């Protein structure tokens, strides 16, 4: 089966790839198993040095990698460059901190010695999406491989060129053969990978993808980490700096053309400032530049596929039909490619798809509430719980509310971002497990307890 990658800014085919078979998947997993036998014995300091080299490869090739990302999925090129730089950062971070994260932990007991060790699991599969084609892979692969595991990646069919460049990057950094591999195919190849002789799997994707992977992995008693969808609340309180907040609302909603799990999705605004915030939000959104994502001036590119644009249009039309007021945008852009106007909708209700579902595109519903208590209830009124942001000039108030929000990450007066230094993941239907920081590197290790007791001997006297 042939898989074509398509430039979403033009609708034209970039390249074609031949899908691999389940037999190919099994063979690569076996090669990974053989590589693991040697890789796990490599000194941690040597593995860390290879990660430093990988970071240098990322920075050396950042323009080439960024162009590939932009051409395959439409991200504005300035954002693609930032994504590659973040990949280099995660390499540097684990190279510097892995020794501390994986060091034996001594536990005082009545025994001679008791400690906890962190040992690799083996062959880790990963199934990754198209919206951050380099970063999503690296935030899994860097900690997993640094810990002594090997990885087999099934990347999205949208961004196979990015997958190939990642494979080459590990090779150029000097990693041993088959420590990092990729398999090419659609969901059937992904299922074959999960069912192969792997030890664990990491998935970033949709709720349906996560459910299916969890089902298959559980059948084989294989560990899984799932980072799934989000419907992040952006809570604006009456004491927020509205100029700054409206600017950040636009950035948070339109980053990656709104195609991000942790983009702000539901804008929850206290009534006393709703009119002013809405006006500023519209003005900031009007100033965004929709266009060729390879043009550095562009801030909003195309959606990844026409099907994605149609799904967004359907959500906006559903809101219109149920009484929503479109304040700006609300239509496809009349040009080549899969562009959609940045859109803001007011007068929304919970019966609207724009509020109930995850919105993966440049559309923002504004939900007006009476006070802080109602804002918290509204923020938690979702099946998702990935990220959230609180906007207030009272820091202690912001922290108090952050503790009440049901999500894996809450930012006060900052847009939600993943960060190598902090654990990343969600609650409810947003996922299971964590990536990044010391928590992420320990997801794919055997946390082993070791207890040592002295042998009691008696002196026998005749």
């Amino acid at each position: 089966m042939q898989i074509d990658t398509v430039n979403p800014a033009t609708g034209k085919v970039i390249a074609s790839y031949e899908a691999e078979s389940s037999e190919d998947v099994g063979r690569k997993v076996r090669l990974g198993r053989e590589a693991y036998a040697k890789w796990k014995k490599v000194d941690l300091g040597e593995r860390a040095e290879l990660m430093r080299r990988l970071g240098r490869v990322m920075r050396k090739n950042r323009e080439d990698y960024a162009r590939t990302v932009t051409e395959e999925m439409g991200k504005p090129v300035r954002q693609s460059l930032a994504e590659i730089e973040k990949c280099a950062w995660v390499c540097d971070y684990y190279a510097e901190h892995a020794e501390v994260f994986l060091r034996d932990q001594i536990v005082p007991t009545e025994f001679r010695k008791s400690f906890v060790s962190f040992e690799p699991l083996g062959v880790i599969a990963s199934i990754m999406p198209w919206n951050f084609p380099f970063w999503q892979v690296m935030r899994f692969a860097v900690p997993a491989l640094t810990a002594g595991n090997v990885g087999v990646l099934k990347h999205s069919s949208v961004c196979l060129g990015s997958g190939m460049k990642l494979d080459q990057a590990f090779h150029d950094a000097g990693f041993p053969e088959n420590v990092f591999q990729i398999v090419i195919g659609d969901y059937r190849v992904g299922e074959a990978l999960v069912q192969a002789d792997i030890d664990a799997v990491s998935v970033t994707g949709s709720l349906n993808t996560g459910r299916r992977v969890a089902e298959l992995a559980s059948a084989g008693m294989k560990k899984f980490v799932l980072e799934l969808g989000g419907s992040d609340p952006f809570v604006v309180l009456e004491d927020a700096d509205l100029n700054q907040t409206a600017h950040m609302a636009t950035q948070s909603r339109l980053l990656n053309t709104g195609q991000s799990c942790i983009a702000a999705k539901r804008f929850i605004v206290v009534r006393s400032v709703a009119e002013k915030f809405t006006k500023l939000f519209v003005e900031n959104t009007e100033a965004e530049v929709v266009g060729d994502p390879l043009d550095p001036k562009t801030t909003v590119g195309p959606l990844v596929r026409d099907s994605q644009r149609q799904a967004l249009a359907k959500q906006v039309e559903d809101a219109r039909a149920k009484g929503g007021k479109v304040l700006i945008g609300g239509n496809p852009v009349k040009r080549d490619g899969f562009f959609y106007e940045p859109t803001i909708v007011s007068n929304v209700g919970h019966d609207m798809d724009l509020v109930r579902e995850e919105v993966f595109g440049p559309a923002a519903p504004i939900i007006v509430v009476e006070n802080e208590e109602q804002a918290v209830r509204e923020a938690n009124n979702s099946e998702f719980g990935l990220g959230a942001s609180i906007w207030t000039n009272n820091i202690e108030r912001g922290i108090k509310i952050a503790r009440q929000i049901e999500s894996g990450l809450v930012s006060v007066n900052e847009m939600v971002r993943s960060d190598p230094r902090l654990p990343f993941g969600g609650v409810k239907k947003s996922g299971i497990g964590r990536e990044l920081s010391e928590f992420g590197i320990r997801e794919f290790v055997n946390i082993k307890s070791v207890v040592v007791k002295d042998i009691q001997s008696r002196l026998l006297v005749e």
Side-chain angles (χ1 to χ4, degrees):
M1 182 183 76
Q2 179 176 292
I3 299 174
D4 296 332
T5 53
V6 176
N7 186 329
T10 64
K12 295 180 179 178
V13 173
I14 301 169
S16 299
Y17 301 83
E18 192 65 30
E20 294 179 273
S21 66
S22 57
E23 289 77 17
D24 294 326
V25 173
R27 178 180 57 83
K28 289 191 173 181
V29 170
R30 287 192 295 274
L31 290 172
R33 180 75 58 196
E34 293 170 6
Y36 170 65
K38 297 178 181 178
W39 178 245
K40 67 180 179 179
K41 297 176 183 177
V42 173
D43 181 75
L44 178 55
E46 189 175 336
R47 296 199 298 262
E49 179 54 35
L50 285 167
M51 286 301 165
R52 289 190 184 91
R53 291 185 200 172
L54 183 59
R56 291 196 287 270
V57 170
M58 287 286 142
R59 291 188 173 98
K60 177 182 177 182
N61 297 295
R62 64 191 295 264
E63 286 80 11
D64 176 45
Y65 295 163
R67 186 179 184 89
T68 298
V69 169
T70 295
E71 289 180 340
E72 287 193 319
M73 58 74 56
K75 188 192 306 285
V77 70
R78 288 190 299 175
Q79 296 174 24
S80 297
L81 287 165
E83 178 177 339
I84 304 306
E85 181 58 38
K86 196 169 185 177
C87 291
W89 178 23
V90 78
C91 293
D92 296 344
Y93 178 77
Y94 279 104
E96 181 179 352
H97 296 284
E99 191 278 329
V100 173
F101 295 159
L102 299 175
R103 180 186 299 159
D104 288 350
Q105 291 188 1
I106 305 300
V107 180
T109 67
E110 72 273 23
F111 299 109
R112 171 69 177 270
K113 187 174 186 180
S114 303
F115 63 93
V116 178
S117 67
F118 304 96
E119 301 172 6
L121 290 179
V123 181
I124 316 299
S126 62
I127 298 175
M128 293 294 149
W130 46 264
N131 55 335
F132 291 87
F134 274 69
W135 171 242
Q136 304 276 20
V137 175
M138 293 290 278
R139 79 182 190 197
F140 148 76
V142 171
L145 269 61
T146 304
N149 299 294
V150 302
V152 182
L153 164 69
K154 189 276 174 193
H155 217 329
S156 166
S157 297
V158 166
C159 54
L160 295 175
S162 295
M164 301 297 287
K165 299 242 176 187
L166 280 161
D167 188 42
Q168 186 63 43
F170 279 90
H171 174 77
D172 292 346
F175 281 78
E177 190 174 8
N178 300 324
V179 165
F180 180 85
Q181 301 177 84
I182 65 168
V183 293
I184 295 173
D186 60 11
Y187 74 94
R188 288 166 289 193
V189 167
E191 291 192 352
L193 179 58
V194 177
Q195 293 173 301
D197 183 27
I198 62 166
D199 298 286
V201 58
S202 176
V203 176
T204 298
S206 69
L207 180 56
N208 287 336
T209 297
R211 282 177 172 145
R212 181 58 176 159
V213 169
E215 176 186 354
L216 294 174
S218 297
M221 293 302 293
K222 299 164 185 175
K223 180 172 183 177
F224 52 85
V225 169
L226 308 177
E227 194 270 279
L228 307 176
S231 186
D232 289 10
F234 185 103
V235 178
V236 183
L237 300 177
E238 72 280 357
D239 61 349
D241 180 331
L242 294 183
N243 288 310
Q244 176 68 8
T245 301
H247 170 73
M248 295 305 295
T250 303
Q251 300 307 304
S252 185
R253 177 62 280 204
L254 298 182
L255 179 71
N256 208 21
T257 314
Q259 301 171 115
S260 171
C261 297
I262 52 172
K265 305 270 175 64
R266 294 174 294 137
F267 294 81
I268 301 167
V269 189
V270 171
R271 186 175 300 278
S272 62
V273 295
E275 183 177 352
K276 184 175 181 181
F277 168 80
T278 300
K279 179 176 181 293
L280 292 168
F281 191 13
V282 169
E283 289 173 357
N284 275 271
T285 301
E286 286 175 332
E288 294 294 303
V289 179
V290 179
D292 178 2
L294 286 172
D295 185 341
K297 298 187 185 70
T298 294
T299 58
V300 180
L303 292 167
V304 68
R305 287 288 181 268
D306 192 43
S307 58
Q308 190 74 35
R309 179 171 63 171
Q310 291 176 22
L312 178 66
K314 183 179 178 182
Q315 290 171 318
V316 173
E317 290 310 309
D318 173 78
R320 269 197 180 109
K322 293 173 179 173
K325 183 179 180 181
V326 177
L327 304 178
I328 181 175
N331 298 290
V333 178
K334 295 180 180 179
R335 57 175 294 165
D336 290 340
F338 314 130
F339 293 84
Y340 194 90
E341 296 172 340
T343 300
I344 298 175
V345 183
S346 64
N347 196 38
V348 299
H350 293 107
D351 60 334
M352 298 179 184
D353 295 343
L354 204 61
V355 175
R356 292 188 306 105
E357 300 175 348
E358 180 174 26
V359 179
F360 232 58
I366 297 179
I367 303 166
V368 178
V369 295
E370 298 300 328
N371 50 43
E372 174 187 313
E373 291 73 22
Q374 189 179 350
V376 171
R377 288 197 301 272
E378 192 67 46
N380 291 334
N381 186 19
S382 172
E383 64 179 359
F384 297 107
L386 190 56
S389 60
I390 313 297
W391 300 84
T392 172
N393 275 333
N394 186 326
I395 300 302
E396 291 306 313
R397 183 187 191 192
I399 294 172
K400 183 192 77 170
I401 295 173
R403 294 184 184 277
Q404 300 174 57
I405 299 296
E406 297 165 353
S407 68
L409 172 60
V410 183
S411 296
V412 178
N413 297 328
E414 175 60 283
M415 63 187 287
V416 177
R417 313 170 193 262
S418 57
D419 184 320
R421 299 166 295 184
L422 295 168
F424 181 79
V427 296
K428 299 194 276 192
K429 291 183 180 177
S430 284
I432 296 171
R434 290 294 180 267
E435 297 178 297
L436 301 174
S437 80
E438 63 183 293
F439 298 95
I441 200 171
R442 290 177 183 163
E443 285 284 3
F444 293 118
V445 297
N446 175 17
I447 302 175
K448 179 187 290 184
S449 298
V450 179
V451 176
V452 180
K453 184 178 180 180
D454 281 323
I455 298 175
Q456 299 297 321
S457 62
R458 288 190 292 177
L459 180 63
L460 299 179
V461 180
E462 295 184 357

